[in-house]
């Protein structure tokens, strides 16, 4: 869908009213983010990441929650300022209600409730996973990003999820395959940790992989039926192989880190793409998107372009700033619900997990 078509399809502010401004808030894990849209077009997207977790090699929930408390006011202020509006101009507040870390979510949810109550405007709860998928519908006034038409398949790969989602509409999404254990991003982060590299491992592995040989090492691949994934076996295989190699050469990691990263990345990309191709073939769908933090990965993006050439797929790859957690994806998801007047009550609690179907029911 072209930008102009998107504008016509979506911009329907109530007659006689001014523009519709919505504030979006994301705080499900370790990024505090706020964004503002006007009539469906993004005006600002401000994110404060939390360096405090680097020393621990992973997100520490209690520290994440405290950092959100410190960041939320300045981040929201900056998003409103960049959008050039006052909070009194807001028509609604969209917020991530779940899934995620409960302590982190509570900060964003409580802030959204307080602000919405003080301004007397409605609240819109957004499923974080919906947000990742709907990142493909984020548009600024002048961009040329082409959004997918329904139905399409979306590979959602992040630190907490690896799913193949059949996206039938803005609110009707069905998970047709998912990991039965670790998520792809989690596997990358854990292997990176085993190699003594920093956190999060994804960007580090990506950078090293560009200089390595993806065929240098072979790691075990899962044999799971259907469209489901598994990454825990790969993680164990990586760890055990590394232990054996280090016995012969204590500096093995230092000598081979580029090849290790490239081979690990290739194994994960192969696993992800094999199931995605199977689903696309079975469902006869050629519009295929990728979303979530791992969609920033160069090898995965290249694989999408390669499959587009080989299988005639029309592929949708989000801008880097919309891959990892951000409020722009939350506010666009909220905008679609706003058009449906699908608001949530003040009593709506945060939730850490969702059931298999990620439908936007309260
Ligand atoms: O979507 P996201 O920001 O947070 C979750 O909701 O989980 O995803 C974070 C994950 C982390 O595992 C991180 O290592 C991974 O995305 N990641 C990457 C890259 N950038 C971030 N993985 C591979 N290559 C990258 N360039």
């Amino acid at each position: 869908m072209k930008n102009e078509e998107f504008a016509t399809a979506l911009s329907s502010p109530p007659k006689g009213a001014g523009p519709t401004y919505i504030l979006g808030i994301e705080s499900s894990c370790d990024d505090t983010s706020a964004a503002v849209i006007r009539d469906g077009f993004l005006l600002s997207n401000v994110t404060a990441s939390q360096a405090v977790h680097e020393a621990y090699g992973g997100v520490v929930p209690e520290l994440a929650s405290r950092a959100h408390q410190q960041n939320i006011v300045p981040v929201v202020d900056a998003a409103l300022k960049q959008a050039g509006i006052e909070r009194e101009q807001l028509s609604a507040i969209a917020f991530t209600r779940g899934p995620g870390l409960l302590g982190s979510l509570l900060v964003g949810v409580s802030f959204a409730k307080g602000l919405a109550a003080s301004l007397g405007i409605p609240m819109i709860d957004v499923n974080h996973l919906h947000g990742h998928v709907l990142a493909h519908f984020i548009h600024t006034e002048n961009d040329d990003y082409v959004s997918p038409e329904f139905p399409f398949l979306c590979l959602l790969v992040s630190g907490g999820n690896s799913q193949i989602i059949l996206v039938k509409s803005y609110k009707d999404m069905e998970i047709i395959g998912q990991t039965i254990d670790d998520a792809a991003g989690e596997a990358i982060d854990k292997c990176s940790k085993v190699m003594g590299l920093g956190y999060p491992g994804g960007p580090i592995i990506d950078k090293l992989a560009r200089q390595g040989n993806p065929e240098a090492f072979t790691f075990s691949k899962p044999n799971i039926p259907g469209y489901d994934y598994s990454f825990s076996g790969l993680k164990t295989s990586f760890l055990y192989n590394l232990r054996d190699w280090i016995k012969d050469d204590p500096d093995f990691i230092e000598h081979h880190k580029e090849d290790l990263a490239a081979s690990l990345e290739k194994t994960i990309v192969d696993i992800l793409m094999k199931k995605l191709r199977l689903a696309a073939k079975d469902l006869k769908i050629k519009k295929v998107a990728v979303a979530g933090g791992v969609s920033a990965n160069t090898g995965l993006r290249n694989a999408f372009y390669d499959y587009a050439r080989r299988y005639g797929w029309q592929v949708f790859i989000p801008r880097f700033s919309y891959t990892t957690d951000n409020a722009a994806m939350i506010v666009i998801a909220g905008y679609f619900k706003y058009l449906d007047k699908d608001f949530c009550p003040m009593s709506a609690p945060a939730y850490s997990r969702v059931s298999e179907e990620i439908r936007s029911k309260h």
Side-chain angles (χ1 to χ4, degrees), residues 128 132 158-160 185-186 188-189 200-203 206 292-294 296-297 323-325:
H128 180 78
H132 271 302
S158 67
E186 193 180 350
I188 296 175
D189 290 342
D206 191 342
V294 182
N297 182 261
T323 54
T324 47
D325 290 347

Side-chain angles (χ1 to χ4, degrees), residues 185-231:
E186 193 180 350
I188 296 175
D189 290 342
K190 283 183 180 160
C191 291
S192 160
K193 192 172 176 182
V194 165
M195 285 171 70
L197 306 172
Y199 176 84
I204 304 167
I205 294 286
D206 191 342
K207 204 166 163 206
L208 287 171
R210 307 283 66 78
Q211 300 144 40
N213 173 10
E215 309 290 345
F217 304 105
T218 309
F219 303 109
S220 84
K221 285 187 184 159
N223 192 8
I224 307 285
Y227 309 131
D228 284 340
Y229 290 118
S230 164
F231 289 101

Side-chain angles (χ1 to χ4, degrees), residues 135-217:
H136 288 281
F137 297 88
I138 301 170
H139 289 271
T140 54
E141 292 274 2
N142 301 314
D143 73 24
D144 56 0
Y145 186 75
V146 177
S147 298
E149 280 164 22
F150 304 112
F152 65 92
L153 281 181
C154 186
L155 174 69
L156 173 53
V157 266
S158 67
N161 296 280
S162 298
Q163 301 175 333
I164 299 177
I165 302 170
L166 174 60
V167 188
K168 300 170 195 170
S169 76
Y170 297 115
K171 52 186 174 184
D172 193 359
M173 306 185 195
E174 187 187 341
I175 299 171
I176 58 168
Q178 62 186 325
T179 182
I180 57 165
D181 40 55
D182 292 352
E186 193 180 350
I188 296 175
D189 290 342
K190 283 183 180 160
C191 291
S192 160
K193 192 172 176 182
V194 165
M195 285 171 70
L197 306 172
Y199 176 84
I204 304 167
I205 294 286
D206 191 342
K207 204 166 163 206
L208 287 171
R210 307 283 66 78
Q211 300 144 40
N213 173 10
E215 309 290 345
F217 304 105

Side-chain angles (χ1 to χ4, degrees), residues 304-337:
F304 263 71
Y305 293 125
D306 180 39
Y307 275 51
R309 280 188 297 271
R310 277 160 61 187
Y311 303 117
W313 284 7
Q314 188 185 0
V315 295
F316 301 88
I317 298 176
R319 289 177 200 282
F320 280 108
S321 49
Y322 307 146
T323 54
T324 47
D325 290 347
N326 65 86
M329 67 186 199
I330 301 305
V331 81
I332 189 66
Y335 181 66
F336 295 127
K337 292 184 85 173

Side-chain angles (χ1 to χ4, degrees), residues 99 127 129 161 163 173 175 178 351-359:
N127 177 318
L129 306 179
N161 296 280
Q163 301 175 333
M173 306 185 195
I175 299 171
Q178 62 186 325
Y351 55 83
S352 57
R353 289 172 187 275
V354 268
S355 59
E356 294 217 337
E357 293 227 317
I358 56 167
R359 294 174 194 280

